[in-house]
Amino acid sequence: AVVSLAPGAAEAKTTIEPCSGSDSCQALLGYTLYADMKVSEVAALFAADPAALLAANALDFGAPGAAHRILPMGLFVRVPTRCSCADGVRKSVSVRYAARPEDTLATVADVVFAGLASADQIRNENGLASTDPDAPLDAGQKLVIPLPCVCFNSSDNNLPAMYLSYVVQVGDTVPAIAASYETTVTDVMNVNAMGSPVAAPGDILAIPLPGTLTN
């Protein structure tokens, strides 16, 4: 459901961003690697261009074999994506995933995609009947993974901006998140239509970044 903002918060933005038409924008997904992975493997998981992935993380994409560089488990990377209008809200829904042996909706959501999608969202997106997030999936089963993103006209306070979808981690605070991305608590609260500067682990916040991938 679309969040309706209170009258006094008419200027606030919300991560559930109503939209219409076929317009799209560039956005970023904040992703924590669940295993040692090649740059090309991370790119393939999100249907991203390996060179764009390297550029978004200020890695040298001109080096020989850069796409096959091994990135360590636990590394946080910014994944470039197209943010499009789907079902009246901003989503990146182009990602396709083939289930592996031992996969469940819960592990796909929480481990493989690091909390960027929930088990319920994946189940609903794919019209799956089972409500048990821990039930094994069929190996090779094709899933569409809905990922959160925002555009907000690619601006923040009338300046060019690109938005990062950030999954709040245990121990995170909104002030620390804001400081790490050189923005303000007030701006994070406004962008995400937050009533207080408190976020719980697993929440997904839209973080405004300067409008170039390399910053």
Side-chain angles (χ1 to χ4, degrees), residues 58-110:
L59 298 172
D60 181 8
F61 55 89
H68 299 293
R69 180 184 303 180
I70 303 295
L71 302 177
M73 180 175 69
L75 181 69
F76 180 84
V77 296
R78 303 175 181 188
V79 180
T81 189
R82 280 314 282 184
C83 187
S84 300
C85 187
D87 304 323
V89 296
R90 294 285 182 190
K91 288 195 295 186
S92 173
V93 292
S94 61
V95 177
R96 305 291 190 272
Y97 177 76
R100 304 166 304 181
E102 310 301 326
D103 269 347
T104 67
L105 286 179
T107 60
V108 172
D110 299 335

Side-chain angles (χ1 to χ4, degrees), residues 27-33 37-40 42-43 46 48-61 66 69 71-72 74-81 162 164-165 181 209 212-215:
L28 294 167
L29 303 168
Y31 179 64
T32 301
L33 275 66
M37 299 172 72
K38 294 179 181 177
V39 170
S40 57
V42 178
F46 290 96
D49 176 61
L53 177 64
L54 288 162
N57 293 281
L59 298 172
D60 181 8
F61 55 89
R69 180 184 303 180
L71 302 177
L75 181 69
F76 180 84
V77 296
R78 303 175 181 188
V79 180
T81 189
M162 186 177 298
L164 172 77
S165 295
Y181 290 102
L209 306 176
T212 56
L213 279 175
T214 53
N215 284 352

